């Protein structure tokens, strides 16, 4: 185990823990979600720092493209998944995405910009030559890509590593299926099925839909896509409340840049290490005993959840500095079997 990597994640957790009160479970679950590519739903009353904890934690994940949206019935697919690039439909047009990713075209553009900004006496001819070459190259690209519908996804959900969709259950029925596919399979379908780089989706709400209500039953599959769930309460300890109150008054609303950070490359290395944590047969047998006990008590646990529990406890063991799962690590499954 790479202790340097582990220490960086622990430091990120500790920094967030120092900015809020009584949110240890939530902070740990966010870390586990990022380590295992799971999704997290947080249930709690308004003003319980649910969104704040998510935002504080993800602010320290550097190099990761992030997307945030407060969901409502008015939220449309363009706001989440991007808009149609009209230039991709125009005969002779070239999608902006193609131009941005083509290294030769971008090199020509940089050279043209340099000549435009210079005071060279013969720059007019150089500018004319570069412009003509760019036009020829652009026409060649249009032969390859013109008429192929493209969605501009830059800065949107399909382009992001970490996604926070607050109040996701308030989304309109029209985008539920797209979100279901994105959350479960990390794919979107915009004319063609494309993979997305999202590591984890996060959401928070002060209510759960009434799945017995036929109008809200459609939300059940979306709810199930959030494998990890946490309930928050108001801060109970007086000393903790006063400490956070004093901290906020001293800061006077000034946003603080994260001190302890985790880069995207480091997070990916951590994910690889988590997969190397061993799960002894005795742990699997104990987990099977737990499954049988829960089912006997009428608590529904699907086979899918049972067969996929291991990464959660592997991440817990890794955070504790161990390379093998122990029985105590199974306690973290309260947030998974919820």
């Amino acid at each position: 185990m790479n202790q340097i990597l582990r220490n960086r994640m622990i430091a990120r957790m500790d920094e967030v823990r120092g900015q809020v009160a009584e949110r240890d479970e939530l902070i740990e679950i966010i870390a586990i979600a990022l380590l295992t590519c799971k999704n997290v739903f947080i249930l709690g009353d308004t003003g319980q720092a649910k969104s704040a904890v998510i935002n504080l934690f993800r602010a320290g994940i550097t190099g990761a493209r992030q997307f945030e949206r407060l969901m409502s019935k008015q939220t449309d697919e363009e706001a989440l998944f991007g808009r149609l690039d009209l230039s991709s439909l125009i005969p002779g047009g070239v999608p902006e995405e193609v131009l941005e990713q083509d290294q030769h075209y971008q090199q020509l553009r940089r050279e043209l910009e340099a000549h435009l900004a210079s005071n060279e006496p013969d720059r007019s001819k150089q500018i004319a030559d570069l412009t003509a070459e760019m036009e020829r190259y652009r026409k060649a690209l249009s032969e390859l890509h013109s008429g192929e519908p493209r969605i501009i996804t830059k800065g949107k959900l399909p382009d992001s590593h970490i996604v926070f969709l607050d109040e996701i259950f308030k989304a309109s029925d029209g985008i539920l299926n797209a979100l279901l596919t994105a959350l479960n399979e990390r794919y979107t379908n915009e004319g063609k099925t494309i993979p997305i780089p999202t590591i984890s989706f996060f959401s928070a709400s002060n209510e759960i839909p009434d799945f017995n209500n036929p109008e809200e039953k459609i939300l059940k599959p979306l709810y199930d896509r959030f494998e990890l769930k946490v309930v928050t309460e108001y801060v109970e300890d007086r000393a903790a409340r006063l400490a956070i109150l004093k901290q906020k008054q001293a800061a006077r609303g000034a946003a603080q840049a994260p001190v302890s950070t985790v880069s995207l490359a480091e997070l990916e290395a951590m994910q690889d290490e988590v997969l190397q944590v061993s799960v002894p047969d005795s742990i699997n047998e104990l987990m099977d005993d737990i499954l049988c006990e829960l089912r006997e008590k009428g608590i529904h646990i699907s086979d899918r959840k049972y067969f996929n529990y291991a990464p959660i406890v592997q991440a817990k063991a890794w955070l504790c500095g161990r390379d093998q799962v122990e029985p105590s690590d199974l306690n973290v499954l309260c947030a998974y079997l919820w």
Side-chain angles (χ1 to χ4, degrees), residues 156-179:
K156 299 296 183 178
L157 187 155
D159 184 50
S160 304
H161 296 102
I162 299 174
V163 175
F164 180 25
L165 301 176
D166 206 2
E167 298 290 356
I168 193 171
F169 298 121
K170 290 183 170 58
S172 65
D173 294 347
I175 61 175
L176 284 177
N177 287 336
L179 286 173

Side-chain angles (χ1 to χ4, degrees), residues 318-335:
W318 185 85
L319 287 172
C320 292
R322 290 183 269 102
D323 58 8
Q324 180 171 292
V325 175
E326 294 183 356
S328 61
D329 295 325
L330 296 180
N331 288 324
V332 77
L333 294 176
C334 288

